[in-house]
Amino acid sequence: MGRRWLFPGLLILRDTLVFDRWRWLARRLPRTRGPARLLDVGCAAGAFSMGAALRGYDVLGLEHDPFSVAKAGRRAAWLGIPHVRFEQADARRLGDRADLRGAFDVVICCETIEHILDDSLFMRSLAGCLKPGGRLLLTTPFAGFRAITRDDDAPPSVTEDGGHVRRGYEPADLERLCVQAGLAVTGFSGCSGVLSQKATWGYRVAGRRLPMLGALAVMPLRPFPPLLDPLVTRMLAWPYYCLGLEAVRGGGGA
């Protein structure tokens, strides 16, 4: 068992948006005992990859930043999480990797597509990594979100410098990309409602100088978004911060 019980700490010490995305993913990743392979594109420091591995998946996490790749590997080893490995890779060049083509039952991609200029090619590359009938789970900012802090209203980058190259997506935008990639959309849903957004505001403001202060400041508020966010968000007609996409690769491929 090792230290796997400490895994939730990787999520609750971050802003509430991160925990929301994991909860969104976990509801769509049933536990498995079979040889199900999962690819996490843009895995950052690997928390979602490790969470998927704990649910029984054989996981490969890809991340562009070598520091994050090394950190993810150290975390997984220290926690004793098996069946997960990490590689440095450029998400824009997934299509060049013959070893990834048609190899995965599930591909997850959280908060990455909005950083990539050629999102059509990127979506086709994600689809190409799936087996026929395989599932894509993707989150990205919703085009109509309300800024949590002023940084959210910064103009999009015009080059791929690590920032967002577009504010976000409407469901129709993602559906168009999926059609071009040979993916059938099976669902859209919101992720991170008003209570989570307000808690994340507190996290960011309190943690400007020291992130741990932000985590401690919002700790007493953490039970409320999972319990009340859907209801309060609906009552206030508040836009969700992120848009969740579920899609399936057709038998013909992309």
Side-chain angles (χ1 to χ4, degrees), residues 61-145:
L62 302 181
E63 170 57 39
H64 187 265
D65 174 38
F67 175 80
S68 295
V69 172
K71 184 177 182 179
R74 290 195 303 270
R75 282 176 161 183
W78 188 79
L79 291 171
I81 298 176
H83 308 302
V84 60
R85 59 191 178 91
F86 301 96
E87 292 182 10
Q88 183 183 3
D90 188 338
R92 298 166 297 182
R93 302 186 66 85
L94 285 180
D96 298 342
R97 293 277 301 267
D99 60 313
L100 303 180
R101 204 167 299 142
F104 295 90
D105 301 279
V106 183
V107 170
I108 64 176
C109 182
C110 293
E111 312 306 294
T112 298
I113 193 171
E114 68 276 5
H115 296 269
I116 294 176
L117 287 170
D118 193 345
D119 54 358
S120 180
L121 174 62
F122 181 60
M123 187 69 84
R124 294 197 303 272
S125 298
L126 293 175
C129 294
L130 286 167
K131 298 175 181 178
R135 296 185 301 129
L136 171 66
L137 302 175
L138 180 147
T139 70
T140 189
F142 169 52
F145 75 81

Side-chain angles (χ1 to χ4, degrees), residues 25-67:
L25 284 171
R27 288 195 295 269
R28 292 156 178 84
L29 289 175
R31 295 184 181 276
T32 177
R33 295 181 182 273
R37 296 193 69 199
L38 182 145
L39 179 67
D40 184 357
V41 178
C43 70
F48 296 168
S49 297
M50 288 179 253
L54 288 173
R55 299 180 79 80
Y57 294 84
D58 182 11
V59 181
L60 172 61
L62 302 181
E63 170 57 39
H64 187 265
D65 174 38
F67 175 80

